Amino acid sequence: MANKTKIYIGADHAGYEMKGEIKKFVEGLEYQIIDLGTFSTDSVDYPDIAREVAEKVIEIPDAVGILICGTGIGMSIAANKLQGIRAAECVNEAMAEFARKHNNANVLCMGSRLIDLEAAKKITQKFLETEFENEERHVRRVDKMTKVWPK
Ligand code: RB5
């Protein structure tokens, strides 16, 4: 992705600490990253954060999201409720690579209780640096999810 790509990041209380580290890491890669919370370890509901990030990804052209909760599962379920969101939970770099290449994923979800920070950084970098393979079969499949299915 181009460095002008806007990245929106969010986490619940379980992902709060990892979010701070990933945000710094992404800034170091010279992307624009906007933190939509949560801003403390006080308990919050992951669907609220997922929705805020997902709405930005839909609204802002070419934006992508990063969502972190304890497992990454709740964030991915919640974000994928919004039309146009393709949220992929990734626990390794291969998943991040193919989520971008084949699925044109626009939200990366990670679980702070499943992976360590070093893995999260590698996954994040792979996700941001891998382009969608713009081949007809991948475009057709992604379009089926994005345009053809009803709301
Ligand atoms: C919070 O305890 C936890 O349920 C949440 O972070 C996430 O793992 C949900 O999927």
Side-chain angles (χ1 to χ4, degrees):
M1 286 167 202
N3 286 55
K4 63 179 174 42
T5 302
K6 278 204 172 130
I7 300 166
Y8 291 89
I9 192 166
D12 71 355
H13 51 286
Y16 167 74
E17 208 172 303
M18 182 177 270
K19 170 170 70 67
E21 295 300 322
I22 292 297
K23 186 181 166 194
K24 277 190 268 171
F25 176 70
V26 169
E27 282 166 346
L29 297 175
E30 298 188 354
Y31 287 95
Q32 298 180 57
I33 184 159
I34 300 114
D35 190 346
L36 297 181
T38 188
F39 297 109
S40 79
T41 52
D42 293 349
S43 182
V44 291
D45 296 338
Y46 60 81
D48 298 333
I49 305 288
R51 183 171 185 165
E52 274 203 56
V53 168
E55 284 178 345
K56 286 292 184 196
V57 171
I58 289 164
E59 181 192 323
I60 311 290
D62 300 322
V64 297
I66 300 175
L67 286 167
I68 306 172
C69 64
T71 59
I73 295 172
M75 285 298 197
S76 59
I77 293 172
N80 277 318
K81 293 283 181 194
L82 282 86
Q83 178 113 22
I85 292 296
R86 293 175 302 280
E89 164 147 31
C90 298
V91 299
N92 58 43
E93 285 177 88
M95 290 176 80
E97 182 179 348
F98 287 100
R100 291 286 309 132
K101 277 186 175 172
H102 287 192
N103 312 115
N104 201 9
N106 52 14
V107 177
L108 167 65
C109 299
M110 296 185 288
S112 63
R113 294 172 180 159
L114 298 185
I115 56 172
D116 64 23
L117 180 59
E118 285 317 301
K121 286 180 183 174
K122 285 182 183 160
I123 290 165
T124 300
Q125 186 162 7
K126 184 62 78 177
F127 189 88
L128 295 178
E129 292 182 353
T130 306
E131 297 296 332
F132 178 50
E133 279 179 358
N134 214 13
E135 290 169 16
E136 195 279 329
R137 70 186 193 284
H138 297 313
V139 172
R140 184 181 70 242
R141 291 162 189 165
V142 169
D143 278 355
K144 283 192 178 183
M145 296 186 285
T146 317
K147 296 180 186 161
V148 180
W149 285 355
K151 286 191 184 184

